[in-house]
């Protein structure tokens, strides 16, 4: 009995370690809680072997950092952007470029640096003729540009690239102060997860360059092809809310059909996620509701609206709804729920931002797709059916019958 309890305890601890690593692929000592860091270190060997075999992801670990090199299964997926850790606003293209320039500057910087000096280095890097030829410019003459710089720094703090020594970013934003940071070079060295160095990529288009960073060469032998299929499908199941069959190639669909039980079982053993298999695809469901960056349902007015719009889109069927129709529906919902929602929800034009935020969440969960047009069409994906409201069923009880 004790041996069985010990085995169950080890399984629970190893699953927790795997879940921590999947939710935070970069763990830094001192930034990550000590208990969690030690737990993942304990199971590093087992996790390294599993991820290498099932996903092709490398796991590196030392006394200060643990890094899971997660290669994305879909480099063109824009539904899960980086976000400002404080304001939670998604990163724009400008902020992504600034993050890259900031990391390049920090790689050459001393062990300590101020926010003002880092911003100046970024301004100098942005003036490079090659970058300027793309139309990118960056200066510090406006508050909005300083806010972009602060958002990038907050993300670097969240990752552990920087550690605040003195000062406050809000003071810098108001031009009344500066901030001093320690620079962690070990974290910078392990940030880039790619199959080749950026200098080896020659594609001219940015989208092609991004895809080339993670392209993997597959030998033309059956074992290698099957291993590549297993890696890609396992990555999709671990990373995507839903894996739809119609998004897979014929080879991927055939392999998943024949190996589905084995693949789902291995993922469940590692993470505790439970496979939900439907006619249209597969989803790995988390009973603990932890391994997600977009929760639905959740607390708050925006989440309530997102849930109501999901129900409305699901009821519309395959024909979809125009965004203008969702705007009208949102205005009506705001009037119905004005006693509970924020006051600004009924302001003229407020529905535009509210619907846009809701659609971002629904797209991230792969519940809808949005077809571009002057008035975009929102089309329901099969998984949204779980948010549909069924017609009420009245059951006659013995008491009502009498």
């Amino acid at each position: 009995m004790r041996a069985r309890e010990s085995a169950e305890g080890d399984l629970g601890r190893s699953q927790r370690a795997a879940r921590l690593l999947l939710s935070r692929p970069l763990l830094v000592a001192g930034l990550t809680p000590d208990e969690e860091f030690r737990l993942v270190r304990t199971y590093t060997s087992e996790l390294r072997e599993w991820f290498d075999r099932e996903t092709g992801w490398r796991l590196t670990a030392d006394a200060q950092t643990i890094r899971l090199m997660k290669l994305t299964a879909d480099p063109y997926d824009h539904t899960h952007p980086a976000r400002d850790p404080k304001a939670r606003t998604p990163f724009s293209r400008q902020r992504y470029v600034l993050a890259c320039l900031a990391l390049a500057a920090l790689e050459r910087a001393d062990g300590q640096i101020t926010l003002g000096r880092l911003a100046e280095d970024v301004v100098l890097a942005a003036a490079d003729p090659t970058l300027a030829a793309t139309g990118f410019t960056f200066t510090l003459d406006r508050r909005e540009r300083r806010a972009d710089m602060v958002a990038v720094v907050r993300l670097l703090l969240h990752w552990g690239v920087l550690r605040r020594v003195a000062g406050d970013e809000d003071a810098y934003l108001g031009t009344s102060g500066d901030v001093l940071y320690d620079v962690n070079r070990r974290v910078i060295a392990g940030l880039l997860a790619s199959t080749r160095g950026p200098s080896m990529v020659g594609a001219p288009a940015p989208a092609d360059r991004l895809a080339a960073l993670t392209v993997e060469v597959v030998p033309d032998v059956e074992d290698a092809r099957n291993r590549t299929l297993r890696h890609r499908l396992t990555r999709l199941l671990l990373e995507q809310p839903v894996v739809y069959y119609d998004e897979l190639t014929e080879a991927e669909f055939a392999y998943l059909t024949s190996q589905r039980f084995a693949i789902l079982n291995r993922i469940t053993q590692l993470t505790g996620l439970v496979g939900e298999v439907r006619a249209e695809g597969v989803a790995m469901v988390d009973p603990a509701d932890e391994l997600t960056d977009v929760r639905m349902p959740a607390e708050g007015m925006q989440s309530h609206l997102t849930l109501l719009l999901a129900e409305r889109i699901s009821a519309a069927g395959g024909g979809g709804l125009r965004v203008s129709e969702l705007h009208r529906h949102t205005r009506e919902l705001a009037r119905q729920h004005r006693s509970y929602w924020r006051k600004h929800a009924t302001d003229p034009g407020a529905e535009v931002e509210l619907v846009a935020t809701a659609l971002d969440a629904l797209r991230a969960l792969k519940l809808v797709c949005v077809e571009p047009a002057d008035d975009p069409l929102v089309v329901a994906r099969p998984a949204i059916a779980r948010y549909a409201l069924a017609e009420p069923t009245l059951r006659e009880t013995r008491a009502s019958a009498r």
Side-chain angles (χ1 to χ4, degrees), residues 116-159:
R117 176 58 186 273
L118 177 59
E120 291 173 0
D121 290 344
V122 169
V123 170
L124 289 175
D128 181 88
T130 304
L131 184 56
T134 66
F136 179 83
T137 60
F138 180 69
T139 60
L140 297 171
D141 57 347
R142 296 191 315 186
R143 181 182 175 87
E144 293 82 0
R145 295 293 172 257
R146 298 170 71 90
D148 287 336
M149 194 68 218
V150 167
V152 168
V153 166
R154 283 173 177 157
L155 183 63
L156 299 182
L157 286 166
H158 179 69
W159 285 345

Side-chain angles (χ1 to χ4, degrees), residues 241 285-286 289-300 302-314 357-368 383-388:
V285 179
D286 182 13
D289 191 28
E290 295 174 342
L291 294 183
T292 181
D293 56 347
V294 182
R295 283 182 169 81
M296 183 173 167
E299 295 182 358
Q302 182 64 59
S303 180
H304 185 201
L305 171 63
T306 303
L307 190 63
L308 293 174
L309 291 182
E311 187 277 326
R312 180 71 179 86
I313 295 168
S314 177
T357 302
L359 290 180
D360 285 344
L362 295 176
R363 288 174 63 244
L365 292 169
K366 300 187 75 171
L367 299 178
V368 303
I384 204 173
R386 67 174 56 209
Y387 298 101

Side-chain angles (χ1 to χ4, degrees), residues 361-401:
L362 295 176
R363 288 174 63 244
L365 292 169
K366 300 187 75 171
L367 299 178
V368 303
C369 61
V370 181
E371 299 179 1
D374 292 337
D375 187 3
L377 180 67
V378 181
V379 180
R381 304 298 302 275
I384 204 173
R386 67 174 56 209
Y387 298 101
L389 293 179
E391 291 295 328
T393 301
L394 300 179
R395 296 181 179 178
E396 188 177 80
T397 63
R398 291 184 179 179
S400 63

Side-chain angles (χ1 to χ4, degrees), residues 240-263:
Q240 297 289 335
V242 185
V243 176
Y244 291 111
Y245 295 142
D246 60 9
E247 295 178 335
L248 303 177
T249 65
E250 291 185 10
E252 290 166 351
F253 177 71
Y255 189 86
L256 181 58
T257 301
S258 63
Q259 300 295 321
R260 185 177 64 201
F261 176 80
I263 293 175

